[in-house]
């Protein structure tokens, strides 16, 4: 999910990668071979995509952020300030490792991409849950939270919520720069 705050609409690109993750520099196994993407505002579906080049190919290419593989998905939209949910799925109910990214294409507007959140099954070792973010334009004060027990309670009621999350932040070089447990 993500939230847009402010007074102006914002142009965003949401993309879902799968096959690209099996290639360098990622070299992951068990990737989602044919990701599909749906975008929701509240309970209403705004858009969906399977195979990004099938729709808006020239506009998506113009962003410079087109998915590298034709089987991957992307949605290019201008959105009003509100809360949104992007759902990544495997075509025909397939499963695997995937990546959803949200790009702010109008960073100079009077609105901001104010919150990005991820929900997924947390495992150990090479299957840990990874949520990434990029800070641009100098130093920014941010909050990174790892919720577990809260998700098992109303209004979320998520089954099998993580009982004791541990959070670690790494820089672009893979060096741990912060961590927190409780």
């Amino acid at each position: 999910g993500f939230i847009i705050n402010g007074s102006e609409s914002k142009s965003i690109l949401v993309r879902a990668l799968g096959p690209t993750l099996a290639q360098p520099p990622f070299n992951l196994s068990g990737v989602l071979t044919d990701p599909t993407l749906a975008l929701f505002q509240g309970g209403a579906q705004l858009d969906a995509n399977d195979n990004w080049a099938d729709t808006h190919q020239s506009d998506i290419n113009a962003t410079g952020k087109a998915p590298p593989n034709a089987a991957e998905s992307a949605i290019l939209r201008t959105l009003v300030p509100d809360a949104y949910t992007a759902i990544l799925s495997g075509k025909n109910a397939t499963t695997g490792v995937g990546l959803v990214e949200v790009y702010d294409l109008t960073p100079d507007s009077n609105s901001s991409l104010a919150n990005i959140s991820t929900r997924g099954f947390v495992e150990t070792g090479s299957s840990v849950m990874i949520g990434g973010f990029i800070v641009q334009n100098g130093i920014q004060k941010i909050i990174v939270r790892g919720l577990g027990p809260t998700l098992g309670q109303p209004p979320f009621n998520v089954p099998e919520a993580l009982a004791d999350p541990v959070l670690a932040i790494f820089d672009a070089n893979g060096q741990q720069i912060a961590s927190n447990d409780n």
Side-chain angles (χ1 to χ4, degrees), residues 11-73:
S11 179
I12 57 100
L13 175 72
V14 182
R15 70 180 198 174
L17 305 183
T20 296
L21 301 177
Q23 307 300 316
F26 305 105
N27 299 315
L28 298 176
S29 59
V31 300
L32 197 57
T33 58
D34 193 355
T36 63
L37 186 61
L39 180 64
F40 293 83
Q41 181 181 22
Q45 184 172 321
L46 299 177
D47 210 335
N49 181 257
D50 176 25
N51 303 332
W52 74 272
D54 291 349
T55 58
H56 310 290
Q57 180 177 6
S58 62
D59 292 335
I60 292 171
N61 273 330
T63 69
K65 300 180 183 324
N69 188 292
E72 294 169 326
S73 301

Side-chain angles (χ1 to χ4, degrees), residues 39-149:
L39 180 64
F40 293 83
Q41 181 181 22
Q45 184 172 321
L46 299 177
D47 210 335
N49 181 257
D50 176 25
N51 303 332
W52 74 272
D54 291 349
T55 58
H56 310 290
Q57 180 177 6
S58 62
D59 292 335
I60 292 171
N61 273 330
T63 69
K65 300 180 183 324
N69 188 292
E72 294 169 326
S73 301
I75 295 173
L76 178 63
R77 293 286 298 242
T78 299
L79 301 173
V80 298
D82 204 349
Y84 298 90
T85 302
I87 297 179
L88 167 63
S89 301
K91 189 171 186 175
N92 299 321
T94 57
T95 61
V97 177
L99 173 66
V100 175
E101 301 170 301
V102 180
Y103 289 94
D104 179 353
L105 302 177
T106 51
D108 295 330
S109 74
N110 285 329
S111 293
S112 61
L113 191 56
N115 178 347
I116 299 174
S117 60
T118 303
R119 184 187 85 180
F121 193 76
V122 177
E123 297 186 52
T124 60
S126 63
S127 296
V128 297
M129 175 74 164
I130 300 172
F133 59 93
I134 297 171
V135 175
Q136 293 181 320
N137 303 324
I139 295 173
Q140 299 285 321
K141 183 179 259 189
I142 61 166
I143 298 173
V144 179
R145 306 186 309 171
L147 302 180

